Amino acid sequence: MTKVAMTLNGKKVQADVEDRTLLVHYIREAQGLTGTHVGCDTSQCGACVVHVNGKAVKSCSMLAAQAADAEVVTVEGLAKGGDLHPVQAAFREHHGLQCGFCTPGMIMTAVDMINRYGGNLDEKTIRHELEGNICRCTGYQNIVKAIKSAADQMSAMKTAAE
Amino acid sequence: MGVEGIGARALRKEDKRFITGKGRYTDDIVLPRMGYAAFVRSPHAHAKVVSIDARAALEMPGVDAVLTGDQLVADGIGNIICGWMIHSKDGSPMNMGAWRALEPEIVRHVGQAVAVVIADSQGEAKDAADAVVVEYEELPAVVDPIAAMADGAPQLHPEAANNLIFDWDIGDEAAVNAAFEQAAHVTKMEVHNNRLVPNAMEPRAAVADYNEAEEHHTLYTTSQNPHVARLVLSAFYNIAPEHKLRVIAPDVGGGFGSKIYIYPEEMVCLWASKRVGRPVKWVCDRTEAFLTDAHGRDHRSEAELALDADNKIIAFRVKTVANLGAYMSLFSSSVPTYLYATLLSGQYDIPAIHCNVKTVYTNTTPVDAYRGAGRPEATYLVERIMETAAREVGLSPADFRRKNFIRSFPHQTPVIMCYDAGDYDATLDAALKAIDYDGFAARKAEAASRGKLRGIGMSCYIEACGIAPSAAVGSLGAGVGLWESAEVRVNPVGTIEVLTGAHSHGQGHETTFAQLISERFGLDTDAVSIVHGDTDKVQFGMGTYGSRSGAVGMSAVVKALDKVEEKAKKIAAHLMEAAEGDIQIEGGELKVAGTDKKLTFTEVALAAYTAHNLPEGMEPGLKEGAFYDPTNFTFPSGTYICEVEVDPETGKTAIISFVAADDFGNIINPMIVEGQVHGGLTQGIGQALLENAAYDENGQLITASYMDYCMPRADDVPSYQLSTHVTECPGNPLGMKGCGEAGAIGSPPAVINAITDAINNNDLTMPATPEQVWQLCQGSMKMAAE
Ligand code: FES
Ligand code: FES
């Protein structure tokens, strides 16, 4: 057992876990945040994507101990107060989810993608960037639409603020 | 949210919890003292279980118990059954072999469970499962269904000689034979429908909790139909009587058919929870899902189409072998029979059809309904042979289809179905226009100038949804009725709960069902909640599959709403001293026509519950239930056209455009319908281009993870262009047909017809991998050179 401490959605947390505990299980079981999902055992579906120190990471592909002292953000940490993050709002607005199981990972991947590309995201790039996330329900079309719309909106907000 | 009635693109009420990470799926449920289950699974496709030694496992940290099939059988837990009886053409009942939730004697597919470990954590349970020593005596295995029927093939079940489950017929063989004698042209082909793994993104899971004092079980599970699960677990598997068993299907992350069935693992969790005296949780990992979730499709068929001199179809003859895997799953027998052969008439007026279906056991994972269930297999066969015949007789694929379209309704096919309504020309025209069919030749020439092969292919599909009526399916062998129930509860403050037996696992029922109420009473959809997925809350229901929730489930809600409306009007009329016939409901108010007298819906609801002033003899309260049993299936139809570009150097196919023109009857929420079509098309394109569950000759599944089983990803598919045309379904009060499966049913032949057109070679089987396409391109080029 090891004590693993980190900042999770802005809060300092810690827990004693087995050495082999994956970050995703630390988040889901030790911290009880079940928005992050497990959809595979070969790091290929992206249902488990969270942000570690500002970058999208498949939380099934790293040990909790490797995230010790890191800043970790999960889908639960995106909305500010009652306000949805623009990517969350866009997924709803454009019907980018059906069963919702892939959704947290899709949203975290999308936020990371928009952070990297800003307003320069086109359909082709979005589809390519979604390579690590599987959705069995939506056929991706509305996910792509949602990400494009959120990217445009966020870059417009950024320009307005500047 | 506002008042959003039928036809509104209402945003989904359920989304908020999913986009904020507050969904509640089975794996999110944690109970005090909960133990974790891990299964010990066979590495062999066919073997005798000689011994199971759990001593080492029991010594490991955290391990509570190791349970085996002998204990399960001794405790009287019943065998897993198939709930649809099919008789062979000689009248004998299907040959069903015994399937136990934990197998004590002979394992018949890789991944079959022989024991379960219960431990304090999932990690400890899995470690201990690895430490259980099982001695097997390997037996020869068979994975090919044709080989399985041969004399001398390995035998799976003593009940099924030559592994034959049934040998079933539909249609008039003599009439078909006679028509073939007269044929001016016969098109003949072999068609395989590849085996698929459904792959809902949420793996199956179960949490079972036995309360000893109450002798009561609770099961949280990833089910599309919790009531059916409870019925089967009670009536056949002897887990507990129904009133001592509550099944809850909370948020479920996709189903596509694979979560209809009652699997060994869920049964074992229920039984084990009682045995070990603590709640037991099991969560399937993805490899286990590949090995144990019911697979789909896997047909081998030979088909022959007879045409007269005018290119009208005069007969259709089909022989199909369906691989059902190692055991008969819950609805496995109905899929290659009544959900398949009854659709072989397609959109066409075919006077005579005969189909023979043989179903076979093999040492592979059981096969059952997967999105479309039988209709994709029928559509693939019909639409490939239609395209092939058109090419052979030199007609354009559209003209040949048009020549044979059914145009008057109702239309009785020679294979049971009676189509009630449709307009096949309308959807064909819409699709041809959307893809600019006339401009194809120019696009093909342009592609050729770049060294690329363009092709275009179409598929005019028909399918059948909302399988019913109960009496008819009962006479065909179904063990259950296929109606649906609903209850509408108006609260004293005028808000409404709708209880439905349908189950939403992505379909958005919380929104669309609320739209029905919004439409009827002019209430805000926020004033409505939908209750589903819990056998303690909803009395009974048949669940969601076969695109039935709209046509059947919503129709039950409409019936209940009729009763609520009638009673509310009576109360309003009484309170306002008006004639009942003069009461109109509008914008959340009950008004007396032609006056300014009105009461709000809330005032009427409150009056029903205070009961201070009700019409003479009326019971208090405002709550009504209904059961709805349809009079027929519904028949969605449409045309899909796919345009591809093949790179002859690599064999890689790119989908350039894909158009879908569907007739789903009336639509409650177009946004949700489009989402269903997008998802279905992507699964169909996955089948056509990427997905294949492949076994080696020893019965090892060589595609048991996302490394080897190719799922469609975002850059494998295009953005689709959709349109809808409405012919109302006369069979239900809302005129709806169903949209959940059409995409997966109609799209594979469109893709394959497009590729065979591009490469000018018809020998293509699914999935059209670059390797296969490249080989065929080489062959075509060689032939052209000679
Ligand atoms: S669970 Fe992490 S990629 Fe699938
Ligand atoms: S919404 Fe169901 S898997 Fe993406």
Side-chain angles (χ1 to χ4, degrees), chain B residues 37-57:
Chain B
F39 286 84
V40 179
R41 299 187 181 279
S42 168
H44 305 295
H46 200 188
K48 272 197 183 117
V49 180
V50 179
S51 64
I52 299 176
D53 181 352
R55 284 170 302 183

Side-chain angles (χ1 to χ4, degrees), chain A residues 37-40 43-46 48 58 60:
Chain A
H37 294 153
V38 179
C40 73
S43 294
Q44 283 174 313
C45 74
C48 64
K58 287 179 171 167
C60 72

Side-chain angles (χ1 to χ4, degrees), chain B residues 67 80 94 176 180 206 335 374 452 467-468 521-522 555 576 578 588 604 738 742:
Chain B
L67 305 174
I80 299 173
M94 63 191 188
V176 167
F180 267 86
V335 176
K452 299 287 184 345
I467 170 171
F521 297 134
S555 296
M576 295 189 280
V604 174

Side-chain angles (χ1 to χ4, degrees), chain A residues 18 20 25 28 34-35 37-42 44-45 75-76 84 88 91-93 95 97-101 103-104 107 123 127-128 130-142, chain B residues 1 11-12 15 18-21 25 27-28 123 127 197-199 201-203 253-254 256 285-287 370 505-506 671 675-676 678-679 682-683 691 706-707 711-714 717-720:
Chain A
E18 279 186 74
R20 62 177 169 177
H25 292 128
R28 287 182 55 83
T34 55
H37 294 153
V38 179
C40 73
D41 35 41
T42 51
Q44 283 174 313
C45 74
V75 70
E76 289 96 337
L84 294 176
Q88 291 173 312
F91 267 67
R92 175 157 191 269
E93 185 70 32
H95 190 33
L97 64 149
Q98 291 181 24
C99 77
F101 197 77
T103 310
I107 288 177
E123 176 175 344
R127 285 187 182 272
H128 182 72
L130 285 177
E131 171 180 69
N133 294 70
I134 305 177
C135 175
R136 193 55 150 171
C137 298
T138 64
Y140 303 103
Q141 187 157 334
N142 289 342
Chain B
M1 301 258 325
L11 297 183
R12 297 203 321 171
D15 283 352
F18 296 131
I19 56 183
T20 54
Y25 300 87
D27 186 22
D28 302 341
D127 288 346
V197 183
N199 271 306
M201 289 317 297
E202 179 205 25
F256 314 112
D285 65 34
R286 185 56 62 182
T287 306
Y370 163 57
H505 32 279
M671 177 191 83
Q676 288 291 314
H678 293 161
T682 302
Q683 286 180 356
E691 298 180 40
Y706 290 145
M707 318 258 254
M711 291 283 280
R713 291 176 189 257
V717 290
S719 280
Y720 308 106

Side-chain angles (χ1 to χ4, degrees), chain A residues 103-120:
Chain A
T103 310
M106 287 285 180
I107 288 177
M108 297 312 283
T109 299
V111 171
D112 176 72
M113 196 189 301
I114 294 170
N115 287 344
R116 285 183 289 116
Y117 287 87
N120 303 319

Side-chain angles (χ1 to χ4, degrees), chain B residues 503-522:
Chain B
H503 184 275
S504 185
H505 32 279
Q507 295 86 345
H509 295 173
E510 289 168 48
T511 307
T512 50
F513 281 54
Q515 286 180 255
L516 292 184
I517 284 74
S518 206
E519 169 88 18
R520 178 73 70 112
F521 297 134

Side-chain angles (χ1 to χ4, degrees), chain B residues 502-705:
Chain B
H503 184 275
S504 185
H505 32 279
Q507 295 86 345
H509 295 173
E510 289 168 48
T511 307
T512 50
F513 281 54
Q515 286 180 255
L516 292 184
I517 284 74
S518 206
E519 169 88 18
R520 178 73 70 112
F521 297 134
L523 297 175
D524 192 311
T525 53
D526 278 343
V528 185
S529 325
I530 307 302
V531 178
H532 70 126
D534 183 341
T535 60
D536 262 15
K537 292 183 181 165
V538 179
Q539 185 237 336
F540 206 91
M542 299 311 299
T544 289
Y545 41 81
S547 306
R548 67 192 302 277
S549 299
V552 191
M554 285 187 172
S555 296
V557 176
V558 167
K559 276 190 72 179
L561 282 174
D562 290 344
K563 298 184 197 174
V564 168
E565 180 180 327
E566 194 189 321
K567 186 166 179 183
K569 280 183 168 169
K570 280 205 171 94
I571 295 170
H574 175 74
L575 293 174
M576 295 189 280
E577 295 172 344
E580 204 186 312
D582 289 340
I583 305 292
Q584 290 173 344
I585 302 188
E586 220 185 282
E589 293 173 331
L590 292 93
K591 302 178 177 170
V592 182
T595 74
D596 55 6
K597 282 204 244 174
K598 61 185 181 192
L599 287 168
T600 64
F601 191 74
T602 303
E603 287 169 322
V604 174
L606 193 63
Y609 285 94
T610 58
H612 295 162
N613 184 12
L614 291 177
E616 183 74 33
M618 179 184 275
E619 286 179 18
L622 194 52
K623 178 192 93 163
E624 300 288 346
F627 288 78
Y628 175 76
D629 198 353
T631 52
N632 193 357
F633 285 77
T634 68
F635 298 97
S637 62
T639 293
Y640 294 164
I641 307 183
C642 176
E643 189 167 324
V644 299
E645 201 165 281
V646 174
D647 183 343
E649 302 286 311
T650 61
K652 190 151 169 42
T653 300
I655 295 181
I656 304 298
S657 44
F658 197 108
V659 303
D662 291 295
D663 180 353
F664 297 136
N666 288 332
I667 287 171
I668 306 295
N669 184 326
M671 177 191 83
I672 285 179
V673 168
E674 286 158 17
Q676 288 291 314
V677 177
H678 293 161
L681 291 176
T682 302
Q683 286 180 356
I685 291 171
Q687 167 164 33
L689 294 181
L690 308 165
E691 298 180 40
N692 192 39
Y695 284 89
D696 72 10
E697 75 273 13
N698 300 317
Q700 295 293 333
L701 181 62
I702 53 184
T703 52
S705 80

